[in-house]
Amino acid sequence: MSEASNIRERSEQISMNILSIETSCDETSLAIIEANGGLSSPKFKIKKLLTASQIETHRPFGGVVPNLAKREHQKNLPLLFKKLVGKRSPTSKTRMSDFPDIDLLAVTTGPGLEPCLWQGIEFAKKIQKEHFPKAKIIPTNHLHGHMYSFLLPQKNSRFYFLDSRFFPTIQLLVSGGHTILLLMESLTKYKKLGETRDDAAGEAFDKVARMLGLPYPGGPEIEGLAKKYRSPTSIEFPRPMIHDKNYDFSFSGLKTAVLYYLQSQTNADYTQKNADKLPRKSASSPRKSAAAVAAAFQEAVIDVLTAKTLRAAKEYNAKSVILSGGVAANQALRKSFQLSTKNLQLNFLSADKKFQGDNAAMIAVAGYIAYLKKRKYPLKAVGTLDV
Ligand code: KG4
Ligand code: ZN
């Protein structure tokens, strides 16, 4: 019997060990996850998760530099792998006797930066050959990683049933590269209702942060600055497409509105560099104004995301709402979703904050589902892979 069919023979209820690899952008991440329960009730136990962030490398450039990112993945993958397998890491060509058998090697193949994706793919092939000859490589969609991240163990673990008490579900996936609204009839049956026509929500956060002189990545910076502004928002930014009947989004007009607002404030210099030179506590200090801009921008984004997601939930009689992607780490956004879903008596699910940014744990979850669904992507980097 071939290795592949050997694995296929296993029942869905039997635990599988998945080693997952994520290198689509600026995080190098490896994980070992135990999965069982099949598609009807998938459960995951995180045995190990290691992530090397490249934020410091890219920060001086104000964004991710693809060639630098590729080089960092190349450097970090073997280092993380050594840490992952522990002190008794095998030398080349040895089997790992004291290491769990790995059934699947889930590796992100897209979307993302192709030179970075290739690093992960080549590494998966190398460790399969050298250490895990029985493991099957599962090319995995990064967006499915975010999409299924809500299945990862949660701190305040909530019990949920993946049946008609849970579906249909509306999921909003908001990251640095994507803003997608999905209708999910089941874990694997879904359709895209809408997406951004220009900038992704995270991208808008990053660009507005840059206008305010804040470092990359801008999302957490804007959130931090907005928190300092406690008064009701005093600047009214547009809520693009909020009343449009479709479920598409657009954030580039909002970004431009922020730019024009900043340009109109001729006496104010919003850059962090200059703000630091001025008294921070003065009521009219640019720092406070920058906080007001950050708060007003964030509020506009949250209003649009919440309104359109909840409208879709009503239209499709959703039983639950899921929020995912790097931007879902934003507490104000989570709060807005929590409140509005509560008002409509809908379940609200979102992975813990630490699983919203890119990580290999979510890739293991998506890999497990792809394997069970027998979904086959080619083992090659596809930068523009869709959901
Ligand atoms: O999902 P992710 O880690 O990478 C992609 O797949 O794109 O998302 C990264 C994006 C960045 O644009 C970052 O600024 C944004 O998520 N982000 C946030 C927050 N944390 C990360 N945006 C708003 N508020 C946050 N707290
Ligand atoms: Zn991502």
Side-chain angles (χ1 to χ4, degrees), residues 22 24-25 142-143 146 173 175-178 325-326 356-359 362:
E22 158 62 32
S24 67
C25 190
H142 179 85
L143 296 174
H146 285 303
L173 195 168
S175 68
H178 297 82
Q356 300 294 2
D358 292 346
N359 67 86
M362 69 181 198

Side-chain angles (χ1 to χ4, degrees), residues 40 185 275:
S40 55
E185 306 279 1

Side-chain angles (χ1 to χ4, degrees), residues 84-114:
L84 193 79
V85 297
K87 282 197 190 104
R88 282 160 294 193
S89 75
T91 51
S92 196
K93 307 258 177 336
T94 10
R95 287 284 325 283
M96 297 184 192
S97 52
D98 57 344
F99 198 70
D101 264 350
I102 296 297
D103 302 292
L104 306 178
L105 282 167
V107 58
T108 306
T109 53
L113 301 166
E114 290 193 358

